[in-house]
Amino acid sequence: MLNSAFSHLPALEPGSVWLVGAGPGDPGLLTLLAAKGLAEADVIVHDALVNEDCLKLAHPGAELEYAGKRGGKPSAKQRDISLRLVELARGGKRVLRLKGGDPFVFGRGGEEALALVEHNIPFRIVPGITAGIGGLAYAGIPVTHREINHAVTFLTGHDSSGIVPDRIDWEAIGKGSPVIVMYMAMKHIAQISANLIASGRSPSEPVAFVCNAATGAQQVLETTLGQATEAVNASGVEPPAVVVVGEVVRLRASLDWLGALAGRRLQPDPFRQSGQVLA
């Protein structure tokens, strides 16, 4: 059945590169095209946040190259990674660049694709489920809900220098976006929370940290904007994490489907629920 599903999909050709999103963690969230590329690739250049189970789909002779970038730890420079993709493709390899989430959502996929264009290397983009949507879904938190919000903002909590981006208009986002989803924000949550409260957000607004989303190690910390820093420090949760601010967090009391599988009783009216939960 799976081979039949693959039969009409494009092939990963020698001398080309596929930039592939692996999704937030669960290998079951890979697309068929991603799985086909993994099975065909001669070389897989993968990130730190890619679940190792995804790499089991590679064929036995495939080379696996680690190119992870983690904040505060020694890692390959982006330009070197891009040039390595060029080098491998020029050597006639079928190259698959595997990234956690989606390559075009805070994944530097655009930078790598531009390098391939610069060196006349054919490429394909294979989107993945970004953690800001899929990871929250695994926590039972929808990014939109008709009765709560008609807009959502996705942003990064730090820039290339590792600090909170000064080009983000925190006041405008704080006032204009009912739901805010943040990547790589845990380290700077004190400053980010202060920025949002200064923009007019209530200190009592719900916040959730979804750590190791869509994996067996997933943890979800529910707190409030005003207590976020203290809650993170007290809980001991660590990155990688997706942070969401907004009333949609309250829906977790009703939509925590993973918790329900483990015996949690879901609530029909989540907006009566409050407090801080680590699950």
Side-chain angles (χ1 to χ4, degrees):
M1 179 70 71
L2 191 59
N3 289 336
S4 175
F6 282 168
S7 62
H8 299 295
L9 297 176
L12 175 51
E13 300 291 347
S16 67
V17 178
W18 282 12
L19 301 174
V20 177
D26 187 340
L29 299 180
L30 285 167
T31 64
L32 284 176
L33 194 55
K36 184 173 189 289
L38 283 164
E40 295 178 347
D42 298 313
V43 183
I44 298 169
V45 182
H46 63 94
D47 278 350
L49 296 181
V50 170
N51 190 323
E52 291 185 2
D53 286 341
C54 295
L55 300 175
K56 294 177 182 178
L57 295 174
H59 71 75
E63 301 174 39
L64 303 180
E65 290 195 10
Y66 177 79
K69 298 177 72 65
R70 297 295 298 273
K73 298 181 180 180
S75 56
K77 294 181 179 179
Q78 184 57 56
R79 184 62 177 170
D80 292 338
I81 296 172
S82 298
L83 292 178
R84 178 59 176 159
L85 299 177
V86 171
E87 178 185 21
L88 290 168
R90 282 181 170 171
K93 301 289 188 180
R94 294 174 293 183
V95 184
L96 188 139
R97 175 69 168 113
L98 190 63
K99 295 173 169 289
D102 181 279
F104 275 7
V105 182
F106 303 118
R108 298 191 176 101
E111 297 173 49
E112 293 174 4
L114 287 171
L116 298 173
V117 171
E118 179 185 352
H119 293 88
N120 297 311
I121 303 296
F123 68 95
R124 174 182 287 272
I125 306 299
V126 182
I129 300 174
T130 183
I133 296 175
L136 294 184
Y138 266 55
I141 302 172
V143 293
T144 65
H145 188 73
R146 187 169 59 173
E147 297 177 0
I148 296 173
N149 66 309
H150 295 87
V152 58
T153 296
F154 296 89
L155 59 86
T156 177
H158 73 244
D159 60 19
S160 58
S161 64
I163 63 174
V164 177
D166 57 11
R167 289 183 290 179
I168 291 179
D169 190 337
W170 292 101
E171 182 177 5
I173 290 173
K175 290 180 177 179
S177 185
V179 173
I180 305 168
V181 177
M182 297 179 281
Y183 298 69
M184 300 167 285
M186 181 178 285
K187 180 180 178 181
H188 301 298
I189 194 61
Q191 182 179 343
I192 291 171
S193 297
N195 290 346
L196 292 174
I197 291 171
S199 75
R201 306 293 283 227
S202 171
S204 63
E205 185 169 10
V207 176
F209 296 80
V210 183
C211 305
N212 295 301
T215 72
Q218 175 174 294
Q219 288 183 297
V220 182
L221 174 67
E222 294 179 61
T223 181
T224 63
L225 198 57
Q227 297 177 338
T229 303
E230 180 181 348
V232 167
N233 292 337
S235 69
V237 295
E238 296 180 346
V242 179
V243 185
V244 55
V245 178
E247 290 298 316
V248 291
V249 172
R250 299 191 194 277
L251 286 164
R252 185 168 188 265
S254 294
L255 303 180
D256 179 17
W257 57 277
L258 276 176
L261 292 175
R264 179 179 183 179
R265 182 175 180 179
L266 300 182
Q267 303 296 322
D269 185 358
F271 297 102
R272 291 181 180 175
Q273 307 303 308
S274 62
Q276 182 175 304
V277 179
L278 177 61

